[in-house]
Amino acid sequence: MFIFKTKANNGEELSTLERRVLGFYHFNSLLAFLLSLNTIASATIAHTAVLHGRFNKMAETAYMMMRREFEYEFLSVRWSFLCSLFCFLGMIASRLLIEFDLLKKDGDSKNKKEIALLVVCSLGALATHLLSYVNQNLWCWQSLIGMTIYLGKMIVTRAFVEARPLQIVSVGLTAASAFYVAKIGLREMKGKAEDVAS
């Protein structure tokens, strides 16, 4: 999963665009991995709770029963799986661009540029098609963004209103991770601005 160690170590040989695509690859790899693990853990816990049977099984549909009785697990599994899927697509697109040197400017740059555009357009088409289809079939939310906001509110409630200590730690570490992603991104943008100025 985490490849390109040689390419990452020889960052000075990469163009700014290649470094950014490589960073995007590693970011998406990490997110896809973490979200997939969350999907597996949440689904396993929910499955065990369903087998245990201590809940009201009466509902109009299985969907409504899961939303009512296992809302956090149901939402967490769906959201984590869908987001990990989009991270995986971003990871694949980045890997193709870097692995086959489609962003290098050399004698065959016109052909490489066309292949790079093919990769970006085809995977972009699939990602937007899937996102459109997902947004049309979430049932209880207008879009994946609305689902994300709802899950975020639920996690904050579990952490601070229900006062679950490990959930508070998790929220804090997630905020710290977001801070460092932003810091690294800003540093990269500042480096690019300095390259252009010089």
Side-chain angles (χ1 to χ4, degrees):
M1 181 176 70
F2 296 105
I3 58 139
F4 304 140
K5 188 171 185 301
T6 305
K7 287 184 186 270
N9 288 342
N10 298 327
E12 66 280 354
E13 297 173 9
L14 299 175
S15 68
T16 302
L17 179 59
E18 287 175 309
R19 279 199 317 272
R20 286 188 177 171
V21 171
L22 185 63
F24 184 73
Y25 171 83
H26 286 121
F27 178 71
N28 277 289
S29 297
L30 180 61
L31 276 182
F33 174 71
L34 295 174
L35 291 169
S36 296
L37 284 182
N38 189 58
T39 300
I40 294 165
S42 298
T44 303
I45 292 165
H47 180 71
T48 303
V50 168
L51 291 175
H52 204 270
R54 290 186 182 172
F55 59 91
N56 179 6
K57 301 170 191 70
M58 297 304 295
E60 187 178 336
T61 64
Y63 180 92
M64 297 309 292
M65 186 271 293
M66 291 298 289
R67 268 298 308 271
R68 185 189 66 226
E69 298 295 328
F70 303 100
E71 185 177 33
Y72 177 74
E73 293 83 358
F74 183 60
L75 182 57
S76 179
V77 167
R78 289 187 72 201
W79 182 85
S80 295
F81 173 74
L82 292 171
C83 289
S84 69
L85 178 69
F86 291 112
C87 288
F88 179 74
L89 288 175
M91 189 177 84
I92 293 299
S94 304
R95 171 130 189 206
L96 287 169
L97 293 172
I98 296 291
E99 184 74 18
F100 296 104
D101 294 323
L102 298 178
L103 303 175
K104 288 226 181 285
K105 293 184 178 178
D106 54 22
D108 196 25
S109 60
K110 183 179 179 186
N111 191 37
K112 286 184 176 181
K113 182 179 178 182
E114 290 175 353
I115 295 171
L117 288 171
L118 170 65
V119 167
V120 170
C121 290
S122 58
L123 284 169
L126 177 60
T128 52
H129 164 71
L130 290 174
L131 185 58
S132 173
Y133 186 69
V134 164
N135 286 340
Q136 293 168 39
N137 292 285
L138 287 176
W139 304 106
C140 293
W141 300 276
Q142 295 266 332
S143 68
L144 193 57
I145 293 171
M147 187 183 197
T148 303
I149 293 168
Y150 189 86
L151 179 61
K153 288 178 182 175
M154 185 179 287
I155 289 170
V156 168
T157 299
R158 288 168 62 91
F160 299 106
V161 176
E162 298 174 14
R164 300 179 185 207
L166 287 177
Q167 191 76 56
I168 293 170
V169 171
S170 175
V171 169
L173 292 173
T174 301
S177 298
F179 169 76
Y180 284 111
V181 165
K183 186 175 180 181
I184 291 166
L186 288 172
R187 186 184 312 136
E188 179 68 28
M189 290 176 73
K190 185 179 176 186
K192 170 66 175 171
E194 289 172 357
D195 289 347
V196 170
S198 62

